[in-house]
Amino acid sequence: SFTTRAAAQPLKNADELIDSVETFIFDCDGVIWKGDKLIEGVPETLDMLRAKGKRLVFVTNNSTKSRKQYGKKFETLGLDVNEEEIFASSFAAAAYLQSIDFPKDKKVYVIGEDGILKELELAGFQYLGGPQDGDKKIELKPGFLMEHDHDVGAVVVGFDRYFNYYKIHKRYGTLCIRENPGCLFIATNRDAVTHLTDAQEWAGGGSMVGALGGSTQREPLVVGKPSTFMMDYLANKFGISKSQICMVGDRLDTDILFGQNGGCKTLLVLSGVTSLETLQSPNNSIQPDFYTNKISDFLSLKAA
Ligand code: PLP
Ligand code: CA
């Protein structure tokens, strides 16, 4: 059986929502920034929430940077956010491996960019692969056999702008997962599209994950939104109850589901990829508790 949620309500009284939770989890792209541009009113809004004693946490599915690199991005945008408050899907991959005591003498093969490599290194894992690993030209002579490392115990797949065929097959990707049923297949996220520029939608991390899924015929374990891993991880780390959390995001199938899967309150902002028309379309079945234009509405939406 399933329950249908009531249609999302426009946020009318921000103080009531703010007073009803102790933690806000903010998605990043579309909520805090758009690409490299800060969204209007964000610094003042975060300051107000901190002044009220709210815990602020930032979660992004974009695995290309480490939390340290995101720390720099927040700083560049003039936002006072600590690395420890940032949970990127790159970090989630390393945190997941730690949570299952992935052996330090095994290796992780990475299809993805720098953020994942940095987080694995920080967590003390041995890794191979990364953006530069894809051979563009391999001569397929008769008898050619691609070698692979039998110490690879996990393949982590994230957004990779250097992705190519040889990464799918090469040494540890398909070879590792297919040849070793115990090898883990971990995806940082499976976003179908992303917004590298505001002019169009670009293929997202889900395209790389789908390629590996297609060749291995296995389902990945997803650590980013909307999976519950990061929510459980941070609720546990900060000792917070999920009913005391409001998840704020611009995407229905990642952010709002992430909040709802965790049993949190949810707020959709229209400053990113979802329009009011999409939210209210009969084709959409994901209804947040509330929606509003942007988080700085918190500063003006007071009870009448
Ligand atoms: N993945 C990639 C590669 C991206 O560029 C983005 C957004 O810029 C995302 C995922 C989604 O990020 P977020 O979860 O912060 O909206
Ligand atoms: Ca987003």
Side-chain angles (χ1 to χ4, degrees), residues 27-29 60-62 159 189 191 194 196 225:
D27 162 50
C28 294
D29 200 77
T60 177
N61 262 4
N62 187 339
F159 185 71
N189 66 304
D191 298 27
T194 179
L196 295 182
K225 300 172 287 189

Side-chain angles (χ1 to χ4, degrees), residues 36-199:
D36 288 326
K37 260 185 62 191
L38 190 65
I39 290 174
E40 183 209 328
V42 166
E44 299 86 338
T45 310
L46 301 185
D47 286 350
M48 178 275 285
L49 292 171
R50 285 202 201 277
K52 282 183 177 263
K54 303 298 165 182
R55 179 187 283 102
L56 308 184
V57 175
F58 302 85
V59 172
T60 177
N61 262 4
N62 187 339
S63 65
T64 59
K65 289 186 171 75
S66 64
R67 63 194 332 203
K68 194 186 179 87
Q69 291 170 314
Y70 278 114
K72 290 230 170 66
K73 176 165 182 169
F74 276 97
E75 195 183 316
T76 304
L77 293 172
L79 297 170
D80 186 16
V81 169
N82 191 297
E83 262 175 54
E84 301 278 310
E85 298 169 315
I86 304 166
F87 295 83
S89 61
S90 52
F91 172 81
Y96 175 75
L97 290 168
Q98 271 179 327
S99 76
I100 58 163
D101 284 325
F102 183 77
K104 296 274 159 81
D105 58 349
K106 289 267 183 192
K107 296 172 192 167
V108 183
Y109 179 64
V110 180
I111 294 179
E113 298 192 19
D114 203 33
I116 302 171
L117 304 184
K118 288 229 156 61
E119 293 296 355
L120 291 175
E121 181 155 3
L122 215 58
F125 293 114
Q126 299 186 60
Y127 61 85
L128 300 150
Q132 303 315 322
D133 194 48
D135 291 329
K136 295 260 159 36
K137 276 217 161 62
I138 289 179
E139 212 185 324
L140 300 176
K141 288 187 278 216
F144 175 77
L145 174 78
M146 195 170 270
E147 296 294 333
H148 78 289
D149 189 324
H150 298 276
D151 289 336
V152 170
V155 174
V156 173
V157 185
F159 185 71
D160 186 346
R161 281 165 286 189
Y162 308 87
F163 190 71
N164 67 33
Y165 172 75
Y166 295 105
K167 285 192 178 187
I168 304 175
H169 178 72
K170 201 180 174 181
R171 303 196 289 255
Y172 323 101
T174 299
L175 282 179
C176 167
I177 296 171
R178 286 194 79 104
E179 288 190 5
N180 173 7
C183 182
L184 302 172
F185 174 20
I186 297 166
T188 58
N189 66 304
R190 51 194 328 174
D191 298 27
V193 295
T194 179
H195 293 77
L196 295 182
T197 65
D198 56 8

Side-chain angles (χ1 to χ4, degrees), residues 27-31 225 249-251 254-255:
D27 162 50
C28 294
D29 200 77
V31 177
K225 300 172 287 189
D250 70 319
R251 240 168 108 150
T254 52
D255 304 321

